Amino acid sequence: MTLVEVLVVVVIIAILMSLLIPAISAMRAAARRAQCQANLRNIGQALVNFESANGALPAGRDQKYWAEHSWATRVLPFIEEQAVFDDYDWRKPWWNMGEEGNWADPWDLEYVNGKRDDIEGNLALATTDIPVYQCPATRHNFKGAIDYGGNYGPDLPDMEPGFARGQSLESGMLVAANLQQTVGSRRRGVRLTEVDDGLSHTFLVLEDAGRQPHEGGMWANGHNCFSPETSVINADRSNEIYSDHGQIAFALLGDGSVMTLTEETEFSVISALSTRSGHDAHYIE
């Protein structure tokens, strides 16, 4: 081949590569979105099966014994994580290190990255990476991360604030229970028959990818529930609807289906979908 012919081949290859690389990148992004949706469907099936077996959904955050247990811990047997569930001590907080009085700082990344030799007990289990709880599009700098948060309900100005029955943060699907200092706190989770708006019109779990441990970013932490309070999706990783999928985020509905929310989704729709008994399904077209 002449030098000119070689240069032509090089140029053609460069052009083809410039066309292929974006296509490959788009395919990978599509695969990550599909896996994230599959994760949410699996979580939804686990929650429905839990409700069928126990008569109610798990509490999103269970403060019994001041332990702050998580809904994501309760459903471990339903996502093929029975061994982790069996070793968990429900009488102690999720960050407990085993021995009485042996407490860890769960916000210390040395603990949640497994860099401490003395890590044991519930916190050692809490640093188990569970694939179904992690979006493949999100990078994590600690172990035991979760990219999906339970729906407390919207904390709106026209609703009475608080976690007690009838208040704003008790109006969702995965609500707090056994709150030690809250009069009127629920003692168990929500029954599916309490959802008056229709399961297909009510958020169960929402994407909130990439939160840090102190923001509820670990699956064992009962604070991995939140209240959708802003009208902008993908604006803040800290306890709001957020994803690493670009201009969309996914939400699991009570019937097990997954909804795609865009950054243009109106807050009236988000707030309507966040309540289980607001009789506000007319917001959704």
Side-chain angles (χ1 to χ4, degrees):
M1 296 178 66
T2 66
L3 178 60
V4 172
E5 290 174 328
V6 170
L7 291 174
V8 169
V9 170
V10 170
V11 170
I12 292 173
I13 292 174
I15 293 172
L16 290 174
M17 290 297 293
S18 69
L19 295 173
L20 283 173
I21 290 174
I24 292 171
S25 178
M27 290 174 61
R28 288 176 176 171
R32 290 191 288 266
R33 289 194 297 270
Q35 183 59 57
C36 184
Q37 290 175 301
N39 287 349
L40 282 167
R41 292 190 186 97
N42 288 334
I43 291 170
Q45 188 61 56
L47 286 164
V48 169
N49 289 343
F50 181 98
E51 201 271 352
S52 178
N54 295 277
L57 293 168
R61 171 167 66 103
D62 190 346
Q63 204 185 64
K64 191 174 183 180
Y65 308 124
W66 296 96
E68 305 288 5
H69 295 309
S70 165
W71 62 271
T73 309
R74 293 287 183 189
V75 301
L76 287 173
F78 300 93
I79 57 170
E80 300 182 357
E81 294 290 346
Q82 186 71 50
V84 179
F85 182 86
D86 289 343
D87 288 340
Y88 193 83
D89 190 343
W90 295 96
R91 298 165 299 175
K92 297 175 182 177
W94 71 269
W95 64 88
N96 181 260
M97 287 278 288
E99 297 296 328
E100 268 322 309
N102 188 3
W103 309 98
D105 179 0
W107 321 138
D108 184 341
L109 291 184
E110 286 194 355
Y111 279 106
V112 294
N113 276 317
K115 294 181 179 179
R116 293 288 297 259
D117 294 335
D118 59 346
I119 189 169
E120 57 183 8
N122 282 350
L123 186 61
L125 298 170
T127 57
T128 303
D129 282 330
I130 297 179
V132 75
Y133 288 156
Q134 297 184 357
C135 174
T138 300
R139 294 184 178 181
H140 308 97
N141 64 346
F142 58 93
K143 295 180 179 295
I146 188 168
D147 294 315
Y148 311 107
N151 170 32
Y152 273 149
D155 194 7
L156 300 175
D158 60 345
M159 300 178 72
E160 182 182 358
F163 288 95
R165 285 183 179 272
Q167 294 179 336
S168 59
L169 297 177
E170 191 271 337
S171 64
M173 294 281 277
L174 293 175
V175 300
N178 298 303
L179 300 183
Q180 302 297 310
Q181 295 178 318
T182 300
V183 177
S185 170
R186 296 182 71 101
R187 291 294 173 257
R188 65 184 311 199
V190 171
R191 301 185 305 276
L192 292 183
T193 54
E194 294 181 60
V195 183
D196 296 334
D197 290 343
L199 294 175
S200 63
H201 288 154
T202 309
F203 289 144
L204 185 53
V205 174
L206 298 151
E207 266 200 280
D208 191 1
R211 288 171 295 168
Q212 289 299 298
H214 67 280
E215 296 174 325
M218 296 180 70
W219 59 261
N221 184 354
H223 289 279
N224 65 24
C225 298
F226 65 97
S227 171
E229 295 179 1
T230 69
S231 59
V232 181
I233 291 171
N234 294 341
D236 189 351
R237 291 186 189 273
S238 179
N239 295 315
E240 294 294 344
I241 303 173
Y242 195 99
S243 85
D244 289 304
H245 301 302
Q247 297 178 327
I248 64 170
F250 296 124
L252 173 69
L253 299 174
D255 65 350
S257 63
V258 176
M259 171 179 278
T260 300
L261 302 171
T262 70
E263 294 181 355
E264 288 73 38
T265 303
E266 295 183 4
F267 188 55
S268 59
V269 174
I270 293 174
S271 60
L273 288 162
S274 298
T275 62
R276 67 176 185 272
S277 301
H279 306 290
D280 43 21
H282 62 277
Y283 282 113
I284 297 93
E285 296 179 357

